[in-house]
Amino acid sequence: MLVEIGNETYPTILGTYCWTNKCVDTAGPVEILNGTETIKVKSGETISFVMDYEPQPSEIHLSVFSENQVTSDIAVKDNQFTAPTQKGIYYYSYGVWWMKEKEKNISNGDAFYAFVLEVN
């Protein structure tokens, strides 16, 4: 999974995921991003998610973290969200789920991707 800003794409780090009967658990976004280069963005810039998987996930959830505390959930529309307006470093967790069509609240699999933005 990539994030796209302008005409540039940036990789994310795969965190915890489950698929069919296999699960892999990792540390939270702040820990797995420790030492990772930040993605520099402008205040209020549009950020897009690019997934080359088929089928696309049926549910998504984006959270922003500060020192391992979820500070807020972020609205995502048309695979896009807006960068914060205040300068600083922001850690994100993008969770995606592939839900079973005929069984309510049952997932075929899920994955969490982490990335860090630096607003200038």
Side-chain angles (χ1 to χ4, degrees):
M1 205 269 308
L2 302 170
V3 291
E4 183 177 61
I5 303 165
N7 293 324
E8 297 286 326
T9 57
Y10 304 88
T12 60
I13 295 177
L14 177 62
T16 299
Y17 68 90
C18 288
W19 196 256
T20 58
N21 60 355
K22 179 184 177 184
C23 290
V24 175
D25 194 18
T26 65
V30 175
E31 290 89 357
I32 65 173
L33 291 165
N34 189 18
T36 302
E37 190 173 327
T38 60
I39 301 168
K40 294 177 178 41
V41 298
K42 296 175 187 164
S43 172
E45 194 164 17
T46 299
I47 297 145
S48 301
F49 294 108
V50 179
M51 293 189 88
D52 289 333
Y53 305 122
E54 285 300 329
Q56 289 287 304
S58 50
E59 290 188 21
I60 60 169
H61 184 79
L62 179 63
S63 298
V64 62
F65 291 77
S66 174
E67 296 180 17
N68 297 329
Q69 300 293 319
V70 177
T71 56
S72 63
D73 293 327
I74 308 297
V76 176
K77 184 175 181 182
D78 299 326
N79 293 321
Q80 296 181 330
F81 76 103
T82 303
T85 55
Q86 294 185 343
K87 291 182 180 183
I89 296 176
Y90 299 86
Y91 297 87
Y92 289 88
S93 175
Y94 184 63
V96 296
W97 290 262
W98 289 267
M99 302 304 291
K100 291 189 175 190
E101 290 181 28
K102 298 183 183 203
E103 297 178 61
K104 188 174 182 180
N105 298 323
I106 304 290
S107 156
N108 285 316
D110 59 61
F112 291 85
Y113 298 90
F115 58 98
V116 57
L117 298 180
E118 182 177 353
V119 178
N120 296 319

